[in-house]
Amino acid sequence: PLQEMFNNAHLRNRGIGGNTRTAIKQRVDEVCEGHPAKVFIELGINDITGGDDPQTILMTLDSICQKIMSVSPETKIYLQSILPTAYGNKKYNSVISDYNLLLKEYSTKSGHTYINTHDAFLDGSSMNTDLTTDGIHLTGKGYLVWKSVIKKYL
């Protein structure tokens, strides 16, 4: 509950668990129509676990950002890194690192703001297990860590 977490009635969460980049791209119009001041995007983990490569994911993200900018040019776009994984999902961490590097480079070139949420969750080379329920999804404590990284951009 973002509005409660940040004590801000203007926040809207348009994320849907399990969504892939394709589903997000199909729903971007509803976000654009509201002409939000800021949009925070975190996508890719479901695509990576589904076997998609970082470059393909980034191409779709670029398409999403282009759509937002064309419909709502005043909207500032914030791109969040993908979080590390743990347990049986640790096998994805090298691909996640590759994607995050591409995302950071893309953010610099496109003028969007890159938010490194990834590093706040690390314990060695994988996610701190106190912050995750299953190696991907966050515990309450994990969401508080995420909040501490994001709040300065609101």
Side-chain angles (χ1 to χ4, degrees):
L2 288 180
Q3 293 172 331
E4 182 179 334
M5 180 181 278
F6 290 100
N7 195 28
N8 184 333
H10 300 289
L11 297 178
R12 302 288 183 264
N13 182 357
R14 296 295 183 246
I16 296 175
N19 261 186
T20 62
R21 61 190 167 81
T22 305
I24 294 167
K25 185 177 177 183
Q26 291 171 346
R27 290 194 342 270
V28 73
D29 287 336
E30 73 181 58
V31 173
C32 295
E33 290 169 1
H35 299 281
K38 298 177 180 182
V39 171
F40 291 77
I41 302 173
E42 184 219 348
L43 65 78
I45 188 61
N46 294 323
D47 303 294
I48 288 172
T49 61
D52 291 345
D53 67 277
Q55 192 62 46
T56 300
I57 299 166
L58 189 67
M59 287 173 44
T60 304
L61 176 65
D62 178 56
S63 177
I64 291 167
C65 291
Q66 293 293 333
K67 176 69 173 187
I68 293 168
M69 291 185 307
S70 70
V71 175
S72 186
E74 299 301 315
T75 299
K76 283 198 51 97
I77 299 174
Y78 296 81
L79 303 174
Q80 297 175 66
S81 62
I82 297 178
L83 301 178
T85 56
Y87 305 124
N89 296 300
K90 287 195 293 189
K91 62 187 175 188
Y92 300 113
N93 283 334
S94 65
V95 179
I96 289 169
S97 293
D98 292 344
Y99 175 77
N100 286 341
L101 181 60
L102 287 173
L103 182 63
K104 186 175 182 180
E105 291 170 359
Y106 170 76
S107 297
T108 300
K109 290 177 186 174
S110 65
H112 304 312
T113 301
Y114 175 76
I115 303 174
N116 179 3
T117 53
H118 180 273
D119 291 355
F121 288 82
L122 281 175
D123 182 14
S125 61
S126 62
M127 185 185 285
N128 178 336
T129 56
D130 290 340
L131 305 177
T132 182
T133 59
D134 60 2
I136 293 179
H137 300 95
L138 300 179
T139 61
K141 185 177 178 181
Y143 277 107
L144 292 176
V145 171
W146 174 80
K147 176 185 176 184
S148 73
V149 176
I150 296 296
K151 67 181 178 184
K152 69 181 176 184
Y153 297 98
L154 294 178

